[in-house]
Amino acid sequence: MSEQAVLTGEHFMTGDEAAAEGGLAAGCRFFGGYPITPATEVTEVMAKRLPGVGGVFIQMEDEMASMNTLLGAAWGGMKSMTSTSGPGFSLMMENLGLGIITETPCVLVNVQRGGPSTGLPTLVGQQDMMQAKWGSHGDYEIIALAPSSPQEAFDFTIHAFNFSEQYRLPVLLMMDESVGHMFEKVVIPKAEDIKLVPRRITKDKPADYLPFKPDDDLVPPMIEFGEGYRVHITGLTHDEKGYPVINAEAQQPLVRRLCEKITKNADKIYMYDERELDDAEVVVISYGITARIAQQVVNECRAEGKKVGHLRLITCWPFPEPIVRKLADRIKGFVVPEINLGQMSLEVERVAGRGIPTICVPNAGGEVHNPEDIHAVIREVLK
Amino acid sequence: MSEQAVLTGEHFMTGDEAAAEGGLAAGCRFFGGYPITPATEVTEVMAKRLPGVGGVFIQMEDEMASMNTLLGAAWGGMKSMTSTSGPGFSLMMENLGLGIITETPCVLVNVQRGGPSTGLPTLVGQQDMMQAKWGSHGDYEIIALAPSSPQEAFDFTIHAFNFSEQYRLPVLLMMDESVGHMFEKVVIPKAEDIKLVPRRITKDKPADYLPFKPDDDLVPPMIEFGEGYRVHITGLTHDEKGYPVINAEAQQPLVRRLCEKITKNADKIYMYDERELDDAEVVVISYGITARIAQQVVNECRAEGKKVGHLRLITCWPFPEPIVRKLADRIKGFVVPEINLGQMSLEVERVAGRGIPTICVPNAGGEVHNPEDIHAVIREVLK
Amino acid sequence: MSTAPAKAAPVERKELHHPKDTMLREDRLPHIWCPTCGIGTAVSCFVEALRETNIPEEKVAVVSGIGCTGRVAGYVNLDSFHTTHGRAIPFATGLALAKPDMKVVVFSGDGDLVAIGGNHIINAARRNMNITVICINNFIYGMTGGQCASTTPQIAKTSTTPTGNTDYPFNVPYLMDACGATYIARWTVLHIRRLKKAMGEALNKKGFSFIEVIAPCATLYARRNRLGTGFDLMKFYHDNSEIQHGADTKMVDIGFQEKIICGKFVDIDKPTFLERYRGETNGGGK
Amino acid sequence: MSTAPAKAAPVERKELHHPKDTMLREDRLPHIWCPTCGIGTAVSCFVEALRETNIPEEKVAVVSGIGCTGRVAGYVNLDSFHTTHGRAIPFATGLALAKPDMKVVVFSGDGDLVAIGGNHIINAARRNMNITVICINNFIYGMTGGQCASTTPQIAKTSTTPTGNTDYPFNVPYLMDACGATYIARWTVLHIRRLKKAMGEALNKKGFSFIEVIAPCATLYARRNRLGTGFDLMKFYHDNSEIQHGADTKMVDIGFQEKIICGKFVDIDKPTFLERYRGETNGGGK
Amino acid sequence: MKLWRTPLDAEKVRVPHGVVSVIIERCKGCSFCVEYCPRDVLIISRNFNKKGYHYPEVVSEGLCVDCNLCEDICPEFAIYSDPVENTPAPATKENT
Amino acid sequence: MKLWRTPLDAEKVRVPHGVVSVIIERCKGCSFCVEYCPRDVLIISRNFNKKGYHYPEVVSEGLCVDCNLCEDICPEFAIYSDPVENTPAPATKENT
Amino acid sequence: MKKEIRITGFGGQGIILSGYIVGKAAAVFDGKQATMVQAYGPEARGSACSSQVIIDDNPILYPYHRDLNILAALSQEGYDKFHTLVRKDGIILFDEDLVEFDAPADVAVFKGVPATRIAEDLGRVMVANIAMLGFLVAQTEVTSADAMKQAILSAVPKGTGDLNMNAFERGFQHQPAEIVVGAGAGV
Amino acid sequence: MKKEIRITGFGGQGIILSGYIVGKAAAVFDGKQATMVQAYGPEARGSACSSQVIIDDNPILYPYHRDLNILAALSQEGYDKFHTLVRKDGIILFDEDLVEFDAPADVAVFKGVPATRIAEDLGRVMVANIAMLGFLVAQTEVTSADAMKQAILSAVPKGTGDLNMNAFERGFQHQPAEIVVGAGAGV
Ligand SMILES: Cc1ncc(C[n+]2csc(CCOP(=O)(O)OP(=O)(O)O)c2C)c(N)n1
Ligand SMILES: Cc1ncc(C[n+]2csc(CCOP(=O)(O)OP(=O)(O)O)c2C)c(N)n1
Ligand code: SF4
Ligand code: SF4
Ligand code: SF4
Ligand code: SF4
Ligand code: SF4
Ligand code: SF4
Ligand SMILES: [Mg+2]
Ligand SMILES: [Mg+2]
C-alpha cells in the first residue's frame, strides 16, 4: 500500500492509461484481465499499479474467466474492473448477463477496434455499440459511456463506477482505439475532490435482509460475502429472497425491474453534450473519437454561417431519447457519423421518426472519418 | 449409411426433433453440439441419427468449440449445424463473427428460453432476437428465421441451409421453447421433392481462384479444403486473395460487401406471411409461437368485425422493411406482441416512424401471451 | 458444555428438527434431486465436515455452476453463489482474492467443472488458488437429461451416445495432478466417513484442494445403462471400490462398471497464488 | 530422377528461388516476425518435415489461432485457416472429421493453445482426435506485446508481471500426457534436425500428436528479461538443453533460464476418435 | 451450536445409544439408511408418505448406537439420531 | 518437385559439396546461419540490405558440405544451399 | 370439434408418452389437427407431470389449455392440481385405486378405471397408461380406436405390442364402476 | 498556432518516446494543448514507425495530421514515406548520417543534424532521439526549451538525466550544416 492510488496532477497519457487511472481513482482494487489489442495497456497499467495500492491484479486464462472474477471480487466487497476489445467482449457476453441478473456492480472497458471477428486489431472501430446493448441473451438494460478523450476516459471511468454502484449493474465504458491509444493531457484532481458513490450496503440485519428487495428507486441494497448474511445469489430467475423460482410469476417482475431500474431512472443517468443546438437546423449526433471530428466539422459549418449543432452522446445507453425527440420536432435533419455502418443512427432514426431525415455517415472502420464526408452530408440535408 | 436421411411421411414430433430432421433432409452431415435445455433434443436426435446416414456427431466441451467445429466441417465440404439456447448462444457470438467474415455456410438453431443469464431454462422466451442481429462485435448482417410450428421448424431449417449456401454465411433458426418442445404433425416430403441449394463451388482452377472475389450477387464461390486450392482463410480483414491486410482500404470494401450481400439481396430473402392486410386498420406483427396466439386474436377480432390484419415475420433478419413501411403509410397502428420487453417492435417503430403508433405487447417470458392482453392493445389502437 | 439428556426413551417432539438444518436452507427442502441421487449425501457429508472444522460458518462461501450438483449452492445456509455453467471457479477466484479470510468452496458437477469449465479448473490448480473444489462425478450431465460427459466411461450409454460412449474419459485426479493441485482425493458417496474426513482436510488446507466424489445419478446414468437405481450403484461402489492412499494418479482411471480406486492421492504444500503475489513467501516460491 | 548438374562453379541465377518457396506463400515474404524470432525456424523445419513425409501437400491443412505464431497459417502454401484466439483445435476437429483423408495440423502459440485454448487441447488429446499440434512455446504472449502466459516461468518478467511472474507455469507435456496424447515431444528450434524428425513422426502418426517447440521471442521475452536477442537464447538452448527420450513427463517442467529437457516423451498407439466412432476398432477401443 | 453431538471423550467408557428420528415428508425412500445401518435398526415402512415414498421405520430401537451413519448417508436430510444413555450414571470428574 | 535435393544414395561415395545462396532482401541479420554452419562457411557482411540488416556472406566457398543446416535454421527462408560435385564423374549405374 | 385433454400422473408412469400417443393418433392416424405440450422443468424431477393435448378439425393456434374437456388422472397429486380446470360439461377419468376425492365439484362426469391394477394383472405395471388410453377412447371417442391402436403400436418398444394391445383392450372394455354426476352435470 | 509534427524512424530509436516527450512538453509544461498518436500494428514489428504530435493553443479536435508542419526523420524509410506530406512552408529535420535525398521537392527548409553521431559520441546511441529533440526545439521553437527539458527528465529512466541533457544540449546547439531551400520556399 505504498503507492498513491490517485495520481493527482497533470499527465500526458493515453485513453487506455487514463481509464486505468480512473479506475484506481474510483477505488477499483481488483482487476481480472486478459490482454487484447487495443485494450492491453489498461491491463498493463493495472498489473503494475494495483499491488502498490493494496489491490489485486490477476491475468486469467480467458475472458469468460476474467469477467467472472469481477463478479466474485464484487461480492467480496471490492470494486472490480476489466478491459477488453471486440473478440473478448463477445466472450464476456454470457457472463455480463450473470452480472446483470445478480445486480453486481463492476466496470468493463471495451476499447473498440474494427470488426467483425479478428478484423483490424490495431485500428479504430465503433462497431460494438449495439452489441453493448444487445450482446447477451435475454432482456436487460445497460449503461454505456463513450469518452472522446483521455481526460474523459479518466472521468467517465469514475462515472462508470458510480453508476455501477448506484444502480447495481456492470457498466460499460465504450472507448475506441483512437481515444484509447491517443496521448493527451489528463488532469487528475485531488482524491478528496473526486465524488464517489459508495456501495449501497444494506442497513438490515441478516435475519431481515432480502437480497433482491428493492428500494424505492428499484435498486436493492447489497451486502458483502463473509459478513454473516448467508445469502444465496443465482443466475436463475429468483424471488426477493434470491431463491430460484422457475415460473413466469417470478420472471415478470424480476426482469421488468432489472430494466426499469434503468429506464425509470434514465433522466438521472443521461449524459450528453449540447453545442449550438438553439438555432440549429441540422444536428450532428456523434460520440467517442468521432465527436471530435464532428465538432470540427460543426465549427467549420458555423464559420460558413450554416446553422449546424452538435449533440454528443456520453451515455449511448440509455439512449437520451427525450433530447433527440425534442430536437426532431424542430430541426431539418440529423447527421450521424459513426465508425460503423449505422448503429446508434438506428436509434436516432427510431426516435426521430420519419418526419425528418436521419442520415448516417457510415465508416466501416480502420480510420476516423474524413471531415469532408460529414460536411457533404450536412450540406445535403441543409439543401 | 444404413438409415434413411429423409424420413418421408407423417410424424408427430417436436420442433426440436423437426429441426434436426430438417437438417438431415437438407443434407447436414455434421453436428457439433453441446447440450442445453430446451435445445438438447436437437442434439440428441442428431447423435442418434447421424451415424446411420454416414454423418458425424460430436459433443464438444463447450459452445465455443461446437461453433468452431461447424466452420471446420464446412470448409471440409460438409453441411454443418449446431443447436443451443441463450447462454450457449452468447458463447457462440465471437465465432459466429468468424463464420461471418470467412463466409462459412452453416446453421445455428437457438431454441430461446427466458433470460437474462440462466433465467428460465425450461420456459419460453423470445429475448434473443436483437442478439441474433447484434450479438457479435463488429458490423455484419445476418439471416434469422423464426418458425411457428414443428412443421416450420423442419421447413425453415431447410431454408436456413439453403440461405447459408446461397449467401455463404451462418444462418440462424430462432426457435422458441414453445415451438421447440411442442409436438405437432410434421409432414416430411420425398427427398426428391426437397429443393436444396448446392454449395457454390468455384469453377476456377486453383491458379485462378480468388477465395473472396465475389460473383455479381456479391457472394464469392467457395472451395473445399483438400482439393489442391491451397487457400488461406483468416478472421482478420483480408483482400480478395484471402490474405490479411490491416488497413482501412481493405476493411471498407470487405465489411461493406459482407453487409451488402444481404441488404442488396434482401428482396430475395424476405419471408413473411400476410393475413387479411388488405383492409386492415391495425396490423399485428409477430413471429414464432407468438404468431399463433396473435393469429387467434386476429381471428377473434375479425369475427367481431374489427379490421385487424396480421403480418407474421419469418425472416426476422433481414427485417422486411418494405412491407412494414408500405403498411405504415395507410394503417392506424401496429401491435407487436413478443415474448420480450420490446425487441423486433423497435425495428417496427423505426421503420414505421412516428406518424402512427407502434405498440409492443411486452412479456418478460415464462409463458406465452394471454390473448386478451393482445386484444386489449388492439382495441386501444382502434379507438 | 452439555450432553444430551440421559433418557432412555426417544425424545418426543412436535416438530422434528434435523441437526443439519441450521446449515441448510431448510425452507427449500425437500430438494430437487431424484430419489437415490448421490448429491444429497455428498452435501450431508460436507456440512458435517464443515461443522467439524473450526471455520466460522460466515467465513465460508459455496460457489456452484449449473447442473444438478450446481444446485448445491442453493441448499447450503452459507453465502453462496450459483454462477453460469462452467464458471464457478473464476467466480470463486475473484471472491477468494477479495476475501482472503474466507474459505471458498466450489461444489459442482463433472460436466460443469471438467467439461465446459475445463480451462478454469486446470488454471486454478496451476495457480494454487486458495479454493476447495468438490466435484460430483456422476459420469453424466444430469440436469440436461443425461448426455455424455468428459468423464463418461467408455461403453456407457447416454442420450448423446445411444449405442455406447466411444470416447476416452478424463482421469480427473491425474489431470489435477498434472496441473499441480496440492490436495487430491477421490471417494464415493458410500464412503461417508472418509469423504467427510477428506472434506475436512481440504477445508483446512491452504491452496487448491480437489475432491472427486463418485455419486450415483439414478434417473439417467443408472437407468439408461440398466444398472438399477442409485441404491444399486451404492452396492456396486461397495463391492468395487478399492482404497489406495497415495496411489499414482496415472493409475486411477475409471472404466465402465469397473474398479474405482479411492483414497487420498496427493497432499503437498506450496505457496498459494496470493501468498506469492503478496510476496509472503521466499523467492519465487517454487 | 535427376541429380544436380555436375558443375564445380556456383550456379548463376538471375532471381533466387528458395527451395522452400513452393511450400510458402512467397508473395507474403518477408514475414512479420522480428529478427531472431524462432517461429520462422520452426516453420522451416515443418515444411521440410512435411516434404519428407509422403503426404500429398494438398491433403495437408494448417490451422492456427491468433498470435505471432498464429500467423503461420498465412505463410504456408497449403490449405490454411487462421481462426480466432484459442479456437484452432475445435476448427481442426471439425475439419479432421469432415476430411478423414487429410492431415490436419494445428500450429499455434502457447497462449493460444494452452491459455485461452486450454479446454480444447485437453479434450482433443483426450479424444485422441486425429490432429497434429505444434505449439510454439516462447513463454509469452508475443502478438499483444509480451504479457504473461500460462507457460511463463516463475520470476520471468512480462508486461503484466512487471516485477517477475509469481505463478507456476504449466508443464505442457505432462498436461498432455494426463489427457492421453499418443505422441508427445519437446524440442527447441535449435534442434532443427530432431525437430524435423519429430514433426515427420507426428505427421505420420494417426491420432493426437503434440510437439512443444521452445522458441525465442526476441523482442519481448528476451528483451524484457535482459536476455539479449533470440541469438542469445539459441545459445542458451545449446548450453542448457538435455535430451532425455522417454523421460517421465512429470519431470520435464521448465524454470526460468533453467535446464530444458527435450526428447520424445510419449509415443503410443490407440484408436482415434473417428475409428472408435465408426466402430473400426475392437470393442470400446480402450 | 457446535455442540449438537456428544463429544467423543464424554462417552469414553459407555456404549453409546441413540434414538432415531425420521422427517417422513422429506424422505424419498432410497433405503440407504436401512441398508447401511450397522445395527439393522431400520426397515422400510409399508406406508407411503405424501409424495408416495416408503420411508424407514425403526424396528430395533434399543440397538441404535448413535453412529450417525444413517444421518450422514441420507441424501434427503430426513433422518438423524440423538444420543441417549440407557445406563445413566452420574457425571463424575473421571468420565466427563 | 520432390527431388529438389540430391538423393542421398546418389552421393554414396563422394563428399558432398554445396553452393550457398542468400536472398539478401529477406534476411533480418539474425546470424543463426553463420553461428551454426558446421564448416564456418559464412560471415556476416558489413553491408546492410534495404531494411538495414547485415546479411551473411560466403567466406569459404569450397568448404560447404551442403548440409542444409543454414537453410533449415534460417527463420526468414533467406538462405539455402544447392549441391554441386567438385569431383565430377560420369554417372554410372553403380553410383546413381 | 376442438377437444382439450390433459393426462396427468407422476414420473415413470408414461404420462408424456400417453399424451404423445393421443396426439399422434389424432394427427397422423385420424388425419385431424393435434398439438401436445408437456410440463418441463427440474421441478418435474420425480414429481407430478402432465401432458396437454388439443385435438381439432381446424388448425390449432393456441397450443395450451384454456378450457379442459377431458382430464385423465393417474395420480392424486395430478388430480388435485388439475381437476378444477375441467369445463362444466367435461369429463374426468381416473385410476380408481390411486385417486380419491370428496366432492366431485362442478364437473359433469367422473369415470374410474383400475388402470394400474389391469396393468399389474398383465404383469407389467408400466402399461397402466395404455389401459387408461383404452378407457379414454371408449369413454370419450377423442380418437378412433383404430388410430389409437396404431399410434400405440408405433410408439411402444418392439416386442411389447401384444401386451400393450391387451392393456388397451382391457381399458377399452372396462365398464366404469363409478359414474359420478357432478353438480353442474348435463348428462 | 497549430503545429503538426511527425517524428519518424525505425523500431528501437525511441520514436514513440520522442513524440510523447514533445507532446508532454507542450501539454504539461508549456500549458498548451497537445495530442500524440502513433502507428500501431504487427506491421510495426521492427520496421518503420512514427508518431504524430499536434500542438495548439486551442483544444485540438482532429488528432491526426492533415498538413504537416514539421517532419523529424531518423531513418531513410521514414523520410521516404512522409516527406511528401509536409506543407510547403514546413520544415524537415533529418539525421544527416541516416537520410539521403535527391530533390528536396516542395518544402521550404531542410536541416540536418548528426543526431546519431552525437549520441555515439556520448557513448549511448539510444539518446539520438533526444539530440534530435534538442535540435527540434532550437530550430522550430515548437515548445520552449525548458518544457522540453522537463519533459525529457520526466520520461527517461532514472540516472540517465545528465546523459540526456547533454544529448539535448548538443542537438540544441548544433548549427545545421545544410540548409536547403526547396522549390516553394518562402524563407
Ligand atoms: C453455457 C451453457 N451451456 C449449457 C448449459 C446446459 N447445462 C446445464 S447443466 C449442464 C450439465 C450438467 O452436468 P454436470 O455438471 O455433470 O452436473 P450434474 O447435473 O450431472 O450434477 C448443461 C450442459 C448451460 N446452462 N449453459
Ligand atoms: C478472444 C481474444 N482474446 C485476446 C486476444 C488478443 N490476443 C491475440 S494473440 C494473443 C496471445 C498470443 O500469445 P501466443 O499464443 O503465445 O502467441 P505468440 O504471439 O507468443 O506466438 C492474445 C492475448 C484475441 N485476439 N482474442
Ligand atoms: S438427474 Fe441424476 S444427478 Fe440429477 S438429481 Fe436426478 S439422479 Fe441426481
Ligand atoms: S514479438 Fe516475439 S514472438 Fe512475436 S514475432 Fe517478435 S520475437 Fe517473435
Ligand atoms: S445412528 Fe447408526 S445405528 Fe442408529 S439407526 Fe442410524 S445408522 Fe443405525
Ligand atoms: S436414507 Fe433418507 S431418504 Fe433414504 S430412505 Fe432413509 S430417510 Fe428416506
Ligand atoms: S549448407 Fe551447411 S555447410 Fe553449407 S553453408 Fe549451409 S550450414 Fe554451412
Ligand atoms: S539465418 Fe537467415 S535471416 Fe539469419 S542471418 Fe542467416 S540468412 Fe539472414
Ligand atoms: Mg454430472
Ligand atoms: Mg507465445
Side-chain angles (χ1 to χ4, degrees), chain H residues 102-187:
Chain H
D102 307 328
D106 254 11
V107 171
V109 186
F110 287 72
K111 299 185 180 184
V113 60
T116 305
R117 213 167 348 110
I118 290 174
E120 282 172 349
D121 273 8
L122 294 170
R124 289 290 285 278
V125 67
M126 58 199 326
V127 296
N129 59 343
I130 305 296
M132 177 57 94
L133 291 184
F135 189 60
L136 176 75
V137 169
Q139 301 298 324
T140 70
E141 292 176 10
V142 71
T143 72
S144 68
D146 247 28
M148 190 70 87
K149 286 192 218 168
Q150 277 181 273
I152 292 171
L153 289 172
S154 76
V156 298
K158 289 212 172 84
T160 66
D162 286 352
L163 170 69
N164 280 286
M165 283 302 102
N166 271 338
F168 179 84
E169 225 36 70
R170 295 275 300 269
F172 190 84
Q173 299 301 344
H174 177 74
Q175 293 303 323
E178 188 175 1
I179 302 188
V180 182
V181 179
V187 186

Side-chain angles (χ1 to χ4, degrees), chain D residues 266-278:
Chain D
V266 173
D267 190 356
I268 57 173
D269 284 303
K270 60 183 183 185
T272 66
F273 174 89
L274 204 60
E275 287 167 348
R276 299 188 316 274
Y277 186 77
R278 294 260 183 258

Side-chain angles (χ1 to χ4, degrees), chain B residues 10-14 37 41 122-124 177-178 181-185 289 291-293 295-296 299-300 368-372, chain G residues 2 16 19-24 26-29 31-38 40-43 60-64 66:
Chain B
E10 294 197 359
H11 304 266
F12 193 64
M13 54 170 64
T14 61
T37 308
E41 292 86 340
T122 52
L123 300 178
V124 70
E177 184 274 343
S178 288
H181 273 172
M182 168 178 155
F183 283 85
E184 202 165 36
K185 182 168 13 185
I289 188 68
R292 298 172 72 125
I293 324 298
Q295 186 58 44
Q296 175 162 319
N299 291 350
E300 288 163 14
V368 300
H369 283 76
N370 182 340
E372 181 42 37
Chain G
K2 186 169 163 194
I16 308 302
Y20 169 79
I21 289 170
V22 175
K24 184 168 185 180
V28 176
F29 299 109
K32 296 198 178 182
Q33 305 289 334
T35 60
M36 195 281 261
V37 298
Q38 54 184 298
Y40 275 90
E43 284 62 29
I60 299 161
L61 292 168
Y62 193 79
Y64 302 95
R66 298 218 272 187

Side-chain angles (χ1 to χ4, degrees), chain G residues 153-177:
Chain G
L153 289 172
S154 76
V156 298
K158 287 211 174 85
T160 67
D162 286 354
L163 171 70
N164 279 287
M165 284 302 102
N166 270 337
F168 180 84
E169 222 37 67
R170 295 277 298 270
F172 191 84
Q173 298 301 343
H174 176 74
Q175 292 303 323

Side-chain angles (χ1 to χ4, degrees), chain A residues 101 212 231-247 250-251 254, chain B residues 118-121, chain C residues 25 27-28 32 66-67 70-75 80-82 143, chain G residues 42-43:
Chain A
I101 203 171
F212 294 96
V231 291
H232 178 58
I233 312 292
T234 174
L236 284 165
T237 297
H238 46 264
D239 59 17
E240 291 193 341
K241 214 166 172 179
Y243 287 3
V245 183
I246 310 299
N247 60 35
Q251 172 82 353
L254 173 65
Chain B
T118 314
L120 298 175
Chain C
R25 298 187 188 276
D27 51 347
R28 299 197 67 222
I32 63 158
I66 303 293
R71 291 303 195 98
V72 166
Y75 293 115
S80 60
F81 204 99
H82 186 216
M143 183 55 99
Chain G
E43 284 62 29

Side-chain angles (χ1 to χ4, degrees), chain E residues 61-77:
Chain E
E61 192 134 321
L63 292 186
C64 173
V65 291
D66 191 33
C67 71
N68 289 117
L69 207 143
C70 56
E71 181 188 322
D72 283 347
I73 206 167
C74 173
E76 306 293 333
F77 314 101

Side-chain angles (χ1 to χ4, degrees), chain C residues 46-67:
Chain C
F46 172 72
V47 297
E48 188 62 24
L50 177 58
R51 200 191 295 276
E52 288 173 12
T53 68
N54 280 322
I55 308 170
E57 287 168 29
E58 66 274 15
K59 292 294 172 199
V60 181
V62 170
V63 183
S64 298
I66 303 293

Side-chain angles (χ1 to χ4, degrees), chain A residues 154-165:
Chain A
F154 178 87
D155 296 342
F156 294 0
T157 302
I158 296 172
H159 287 312
F161 270 102
N162 284 345
F163 281 134
S164 86
E165 297 295 344

